[in-house]
Amino acid sequence: MAFTTKQMSLIVATFGALSFIFGVVAENKKPAAGTAIPGKGGVVCKYPSDPTVALGYLSVAFLIASTVAGYLSLFYPYKGKSVPQAALFRSTSFLVFFNIALGTAGLAATLLLWPTITEQLHIIRNVHHSLDTECPTAKTGLLGGGAFVSLDASLFWLVSLMLADNAREDYFDEVDGKGEVGHAYATDYDAADGALKNSA
């Protein structure tokens, strides 16, 4: 199936928005702390059942999908015409936004994975030998921050896609221009050759 630039941008934006939504909901559903139940020589932390971990991983999954779609959209051969990567990276603005998009996606993944994995570990390792344990949860604010950075990453991929589209048009204009010059020279040569034959 052939994709257009609009379809690819819609895919990137949709995945980015879903990552943002799941991240924000995960942040809002996260409990402030667990309940400490004292036992023999330690404390068992009981946490309320909440979808934070599942939502956090869903947010990461859609971030990865948005990043992969964003990356592929830049080099996809639209209308069956592929462009060398070197031609795209000649554009300074494209290079800058491409690197920003990659860096932002990496930061978003870190901000989303860190609290999600931490929360999962708190739930799994809920037996503590210290009686002073307060049954902590993952650091508040990281999931929400990661969600916003994830949305930013998808927006940077969209900007990169627009800049790639401009670089693609410039490349094809350049290639077509060279073809026309070559054709003009060939025509001139044929005309000159015909004139020489007539004079002979």
Side-chain angles (χ1 to χ4, degrees):
M1 178 184 171
F3 290 100
T4 64
T5 312
K6 286 181 181 178
Q7 288 172 329
M8 291 300 278
S9 60
L10 189 62
I11 291 168
V12 173
T14 302
F15 286 153
L18 286 171
S19 175
F20 169 72
I21 291 165
F22 282 123
V24 168
V25 174
E27 179 67 54
N28 290 333
K29 294 287 184 183
K30 187 180 77 63
T35 305
I37 302 171
K40 290 182 179 179
V43 170
V44 176
C45 291
K46 186 178 180 182
Y47 293 95
S49 60
D50 67 275
T52 302
V53 173
L55 291 171
Y57 283 126
L58 275 172
S59 181
V60 172
F62 280 111
L63 168 65
I64 292 169
S66 176
T67 302
V68 169
Y71 182 86
L72 293 176
S73 71
L74 303 178
F75 308 108
Y76 183 80
Y78 297 101
K79 297 178 182 175
K81 295 179 179 179
S82 59
V83 177
Q85 289 187 10
L88 295 176
F89 285 110
R90 264 188 309 191
S91 168
T92 308
S93 52
F94 171 77
L95 181 62
V96 168
F97 276 96
F98 175 79
N99 286 318
I100 291 173
L102 274 180
T104 310
L107 178 61
T110 304
L111 288 172
L112 289 170
L113 277 173
W114 181 12
T116 303
I117 293 171
T118 304
E119 187 73 10
Q120 187 175 19
L121 290 175
H122 283 313
I123 293 169
I124 294 169
R125 301 173 183 173
N126 64 339
V127 178
H128 303 277
H129 298 294
S130 172
L131 295 172
D132 298 330
T133 301
E134 296 177 354
C135 298
T137 57
K139 191 171 177 64
T140 303
L142 287 179
L143 277 168
F148 278 99
V149 178
S150 177
L151 185 63
D152 289 341
S154 68
L155 293 175
F156 282 123
W157 283 118
L158 292 177
V159 173
S160 299
L161 179 56
M162 286 189 292
L163 293 169
D165 202 33
N166 291 342
R168 193 177 288 109
E169 285 177 12
D170 292 343
Y171 172 78
F172 286 124
D173 287 345
E174 203 174 289
V175 169
D176 291 344
K178 283 180 182 174
E180 284 170 11
V181 170
H183 180 70
Y185 283 138
T187 307
D188 291 344
Y189 176 76
D190 290 341
D193 189 39
L196 284 172
K197 284 178 182 176
N198 290 336
S199 64

Short mmCIF file of all heavy atoms in Angstrom, two decimals, residues 8-48:
data_model
loop_
_atom_site.label_atom_id
_atom_site.label_comp_id
_atom_site.label_asym_id
_atom_site.label_seq_id
_atom_site.Cartn_x
_atom_site.Cartn_y
_atom_site.Cartn_z
N MET A 8 1.04 9.62 6.51
CA MET A 8 2.13 9.35 7.44
C MET A 8 2.12 10.32 8.61
O MET A 8 2.33 9.94 9.76
CB MET A 8 3.47 9.39 6.71
CG MET A 8 3.69 8.25 5.75
SD MET A 8 3.64 6.62 6.52
CE MET A 8 5.29 6.47 7.16
N SER A 9 1.86 11.59 8.31
CA SER A 9 1.82 12.59 9.39
C SER A 9 0.66 12.30 10.34
O SER A 9 0.78 12.48 11.56
CB SER A 9 1.73 14.00 8.82
OG SER A 9 0.56 14.16 8.04
N LEU A 10 -0.46 11.82 9.79
CA LEU A 10 -1.61 11.47 10.63
C LEU A 10 -1.29 10.28 11.53
O LEU A 10 -1.67 10.27 12.71
CB LEU A 10 -2.81 11.14 9.73
CG LEU A 10 -4.16 10.96 10.43
CD1 LEU A 10 -4.59 12.24 11.13
CD2 LEU A 10 -5.22 10.52 9.43
N ILE A 11 -0.57 9.30 11.00
CA ILE A 11 -0.17 8.14 11.80
C ILE A 11 0.75 8.57 12.94
O ILE A 11 0.56 8.18 14.10
CB ILE A 11 0.53 7.09 10.90
CG1 ILE A 11 -0.48 6.45 9.94
CG2 ILE A 11 1.21 6.01 11.74
CD1 ILE A 11 0.15 5.62 8.84
N VAL A 12 1.75 9.39 12.63
CA VAL A 12 2.70 9.86 13.64
C VAL A 12 1.97 10.65 14.73
O VAL A 12 2.18 10.44 15.93
CB VAL A 12 3.80 10.74 13.00
CG1 VAL A 12 4.67 11.38 14.06
CG2 VAL A 12 4.64 9.92 12.04
N ALA A 13 1.08 11.56 14.31
CA ALA A 13 0.35 12.39 15.27
C ALA A 13 -0.59 11.55 16.14
O ALA A 13 -0.70 11.79 17.35
CB ALA A 13 -0.45 13.46 14.52
N THR A 14 -1.26 10.56 15.55
CA THR A 14 -2.19 9.71 16.30
C THR A 14 -1.45 8.91 17.37
O THR A 14 -1.87 8.87 18.53
CB THR A 14 -2.94 8.75 15.36
OG1 THR A 14 -3.64 9.53 14.38
CG2 THR A 14 -3.93 7.89 16.12
N PHE A 15 -0.33 8.28 16.98
CA PHE A 15 0.45 7.50 17.95
C PHE A 15 1.00 8.41 19.05
O PHE A 15 1.02 8.04 20.22
CB PHE A 15 1.59 6.76 17.25
CG PHE A 15 1.15 5.57 16.45
CD1 PHE A 15 1.88 5.13 15.36
CD2 PHE A 15 0.01 4.86 16.79
CE1 PHE A 15 1.49 4.02 14.62
CE2 PHE A 15 -0.40 3.75 16.06
CZ PHE A 15 0.34 3.33 14.97
N GLY A 16 1.45 9.60 18.67
CA GLY A 16 1.97 10.54 19.66
C GLY A 16 0.90 11.00 20.64
O GLY A 16 1.14 11.08 21.85
N ALA A 17 -0.30 11.25 20.12
CA ALA A 17 -1.42 11.67 20.98
C ALA A 17 -1.83 10.55 21.94
O ALA A 17 -2.11 10.78 23.12
CB ALA A 17 -2.61 12.10 20.13
N LEU A 18 -1.85 9.31 21.45
CA LEU A 18 -2.20 8.17 22.30
C LEU A 18 -1.17 7.97 23.40
O LEU A 18 -1.52 7.69 24.55
CB LEU A 18 -2.33 6.90 21.45
CG LEU A 18 -3.59 6.81 20.58
CD1 LEU A 18 -3.50 5.63 19.63
CD2 LEU A 18 -4.84 6.69 21.44
N SER A 19 0.10 8.13 23.06
CA SER A 19 1.16 8.02 24.07
C SER A 19 0.97 9.09 25.14
O SER A 19 1.11 8.81 26.34
CB SER A 19 2.53 8.18 23.40
OG SER A 19 3.56 8.20 24.36
N PHE A 20 0.65 10.30 24.72
CA PHE A 20 0.41 11.41 25.65
C PHE A 20 -0.77 11.10 26.57
O PHE A 20 -0.68 11.25 27.80
CB PHE A 20 0.15 12.68 24.85
CG PHE A 20 -0.37 13.82 25.68
CD1 PHE A 20 0.45 14.50 26.56
CD2 PHE A 20 -1.70 14.22 25.57
CE1 PHE A 20 -0.03 15.55 27.33
CE2 PHE A 20 -2.19 15.27 26.32
CZ PHE A 20 -1.35 15.94 27.20
N ILE A 21 -1.87 10.65 26.00
CA ILE A 21 -3.09 10.37 26.79
C ILE A 21 -2.84 9.27 27.81
O ILE A 21 -3.16 9.41 29.00
CB ILE A 21 -4.26 10.00 25.85
CG1 ILE A 21 -4.70 11.23 25.05
CG2 ILE A 21 -5.44 9.44 26.65
CD1 ILE A 21 -5.60 10.91 23.87
N PHE A 22 -2.23 8.16 27.37
CA PHE A 22 -1.96 7.05 28.30
C PHE A 22 -1.00 7.48 29.41
O PHE A 22 -1.15 7.07 30.56
CB PHE A 22 -1.40 5.84 27.55
CG PHE A 22 -2.44 5.05 26.81
CD1 PHE A 22 -2.34 4.82 25.45
CD2 PHE A 22 -3.54 4.53 27.48
CE1 PHE A 22 -3.30 4.08 24.77
CE2 PHE A 22 -4.52 3.80 26.81
CZ PHE A 22 -4.39 3.58 25.45
N GLY A 23 -0.01 8.30 29.08
CA GLY A 23 0.94 8.78 30.09
C GLY A 23 0.29 9.67 31.13
O GLY A 23 0.55 9.54 32.33
N VAL A 24 -0.59 10.57 30.67
CA VAL A 24 -1.28 11.48 31.60
C VAL A 24 -2.23 10.69 32.51
O VAL A 24 -2.29 10.93 33.73
CB VAL A 24 -2.04 12.58 30.82
CG1 VAL A 24 -2.98 13.34 31.74
CG2 VAL A 24 -1.05 13.54 30.17
N VAL A 25 -2.97 9.75 31.93
CA VAL A 25 -3.90 8.94 32.73
C VAL A 25 -3.13 8.09 33.74
O VAL A 25 -3.54 7.95 34.90
CB VAL A 25 -4.78 8.05 31.82
CG1 VAL A 25 -5.65 7.11 32.65
CG2 VAL A 25 -5.67 8.91 30.92
N ALA A 26 -1.97 7.53 33.32
CA ALA A 26 -1.14 6.75 34.23
C ALA A 26 -0.68 7.60 35.42
O ALA A 26 -0.69 7.14 36.57
CB ALA A 26 0.06 6.18 33.49
N GLU A 27 -0.30 8.85 35.13
CA GLU A 27 0.12 9.76 36.21
C GLU A 27 -1.04 10.04 37.18
O GLU A 27 -0.86 10.04 38.40
CB GLU A 27 0.62 11.07 35.61
CG GLU A 27 1.07 12.12 36.61
CD GLU A 27 2.31 11.70 37.38
OE1 GLU A 27 3.33 11.36 36.76
OE2 GLU A 27 2.24 11.72 38.63
N ASN A 28 -2.22 10.25 36.65
CA ASN A 28 -3.38 10.56 37.50
C ASN A 28 -3.86 9.37 38.31
O ASN A 28 -4.41 9.53 39.41
CB ASN A 28 -4.54 11.09 36.65
CG ASN A 28 -4.25 12.47 36.10
OD1 ASN A 28 -3.50 13.23 36.69
ND2 ASN A 28 -4.83 12.80 34.96
N LYS A 29 -3.66 8.16 37.78
CA LYS A 29 -4.13 6.95 38.48
C LYS A 29 -3.12 6.44 39.51
O LYS A 29 -3.45 5.58 40.33
CB LYS A 29 -4.40 5.83 37.46
CG LYS A 29 -5.56 6.12 36.50
CD LYS A 29 -6.88 6.01 37.21
CE LYS A 29 -8.03 6.20 36.23
NZ LYS A 29 -9.33 6.15 36.92
N LYS A 30 -1.90 6.94 39.47
CA LYS A 30 -0.86 6.43 40.36
C LYS A 30 -1.18 6.76 41.82
O LYS A 30 -1.43 7.92 42.15
CB LYS A 30 0.50 7.04 39.99
CG LYS A 30 1.67 6.44 40.74
CD LYS A 30 2.97 7.07 40.33
CE LYS A 30 3.15 8.43 40.95
NZ LYS A 30 3.22 8.40 42.43
N PRO A 31 -1.18 5.75 42.72
CA PRO A 31 -1.46 6.03 44.12
C PRO A 31 -0.31 6.79 44.78
O PRO A 31 0.84 6.66 44.36
CB PRO A 31 -1.62 4.64 44.74
CG PRO A 31 -0.86 3.74 43.84
CD PRO A 31 -0.95 4.33 42.47
N ALA A 32 -0.63 7.58 45.79
CA ALA A 32 0.41 8.36 46.48
C ALA A 32 1.33 7.45 47.28
O ALA A 32 2.54 7.69 47.36
CB ALA A 32 -0.25 9.39 47.39
N ALA A 33 0.78 6.41 47.88
CA ALA A 33 1.57 5.46 48.68
C ALA A 33 0.76 4.20 48.90
O ALA A 33 -0.46 4.18 48.68
CB ALA A 33 1.96 6.08 50.01
N GLY A 34 1.45 3.14 49.34
CA GLY A 34 0.78 1.91 49.68
C GLY A 34 0.44 1.87 51.17
O GLY A 34 0.80 2.76 51.92
N THR A 35 -0.25 0.83 51.58
CA THR A 35 -0.61 0.66 52.99
C THR A 35 0.37 -0.31 53.63
O THR A 35 0.54 -1.44 53.16
CB THR A 35 -2.05 0.11 53.11
OG1 THR A 35 -2.93 0.96 52.39
CG2 THR A 35 -2.47 0.02 54.56
N ALA A 36 1.00 0.13 54.73
CA ALA A 36 1.98 -0.71 55.43
C ALA A 36 1.27 -1.64 56.40
O ALA A 36 0.52 -1.18 57.28
CB ALA A 36 2.98 0.17 56.17
N ILE A 37 1.50 -2.93 56.26
CA ILE A 37 0.92 -3.93 57.17
C ILE A 37 2.07 -4.58 57.93
O ILE A 37 2.85 -5.35 57.36
CB ILE A 37 0.12 -4.99 56.38
CG1 ILE A 37 -0.99 -4.32 55.56
CG2 ILE A 37 -0.45 -6.04 57.32
CD1 ILE A 37 -1.68 -5.24 54.60
N PRO A 38 2.23 -4.26 59.23
CA PRO A 38 3.34 -4.82 60.01
C PRO A 38 3.20 -6.34 60.15
O PRO A 38 2.11 -6.88 60.30
CB PRO A 38 3.19 -4.15 61.38
CG PRO A 38 2.32 -2.97 61.14
CD PRO A 38 1.43 -3.33 60.01
N GLY A 39 4.34 -7.02 60.04
CA GLY A 39 4.35 -8.46 60.20
C GLY A 39 5.54 -8.86 61.06
O GLY A 39 6.14 -8.03 61.73
N LYS A 40 5.88 -10.15 61.06
CA LYS A 40 7.01 -10.63 61.85
C LYS A 40 8.32 -10.18 61.22
O LYS A 40 8.69 -10.62 60.15
CB LYS A 40 6.98 -12.16 61.94
CG LYS A 40 5.85 -12.70 62.80
CD LYS A 40 5.92 -14.20 62.88
CE LYS A 40 4.79 -14.72 63.76
NZ LYS A 40 4.81 -16.21 63.84
N GLY A 41 9.00 -9.27 61.91
CA GLY A 41 10.31 -8.81 61.46
C GLY A 41 10.30 -7.97 60.20
O GLY A 41 11.31 -7.87 59.52
N GLY A 42 9.17 -7.37 59.87
CA GLY A 42 9.14 -6.53 58.69
C GLY A 42 7.77 -5.96 58.40
O GLY A 42 6.86 -6.02 59.22
N VAL A 43 7.66 -5.40 57.21
CA VAL A 43 6.42 -4.75 56.78
C VAL A 43 6.04 -5.26 55.39
O VAL A 43 6.90 -5.38 54.52
CB VAL A 43 6.60 -3.21 56.74
CG1 VAL A 43 5.41 -2.53 56.08
CG2 VAL A 43 6.80 -2.66 58.13
N VAL A 44 4.78 -5.55 55.22
CA VAL A 44 4.27 -5.91 53.89
C VAL A 44 3.48 -4.71 53.37
O VAL A 44 2.58 -4.21 54.06
CB VAL A 44 3.36 -7.16 53.96
CG1 VAL A 44 2.77 -7.44 52.58
CG2 VAL A 44 4.14 -8.36 54.46
N CYS A 45 3.85 -4.25 52.18
CA CYS A 45 3.16 -3.10 51.58
C CYS A 45 2.05 -3.59 50.68
O CYS A 45 2.29 -4.39 49.76
CB CYS A 45 4.14 -2.25 50.79
SG CYS A 45 5.33 -1.38 51.81
N LYS A 46 0.86 -3.11 50.95
CA LYS A 46 -0.28 -3.46 50.11
C LYS A 46 -0.64 -2.23 49.27
O LYS A 46 -0.93 -1.17 49.80
CB LYS A 46 -1.47 -3.89 50.95
CG LYS A 46 -2.64 -4.40 50.13
CD LYS A 46 -3.78 -4.86 51.00
CE LYS A 46 -4.93 -5.38 50.15
NZ LYS A 46 -6.09 -5.79 50.97
N TYR A 47 -0.60 -2.42 47.95
CA TYR A 47 -0.90 -1.32 47.04
C TYR A 47 -2.28 -1.53 46.42
O TYR A 47 -2.65 -2.66 46.10
CB TYR A 47 0.14 -1.23 45.93
CG TYR A 47 1.51 -0.83 46.43
CD1 TYR A 47 2.47 -1.80 46.72
CD2 TYR A 47 1.83 0.50 46.60
CE1 TYR A 47 3.72 -1.44 47.18
CE2 TYR A 47 3.09 0.88 47.06
CZ TYR A 47 4.03 -0.09 47.35
OH TYR A 47 5.27 0.27 47.82
N PRO A 48 -3.04 -0.45 46.26
CA PRO A 48 -4.36 -0.59 45.62
C PRO A 48 -4.19 -1.01 44.16
O PRO A 48 -3.21 -0.63 43.50
CB PRO A 48 -4.96 0.81 45.72
CG PRO A 48 -3.80 1.73 45.88
CD PRO A 48 -2.74 0.94 46.61
#
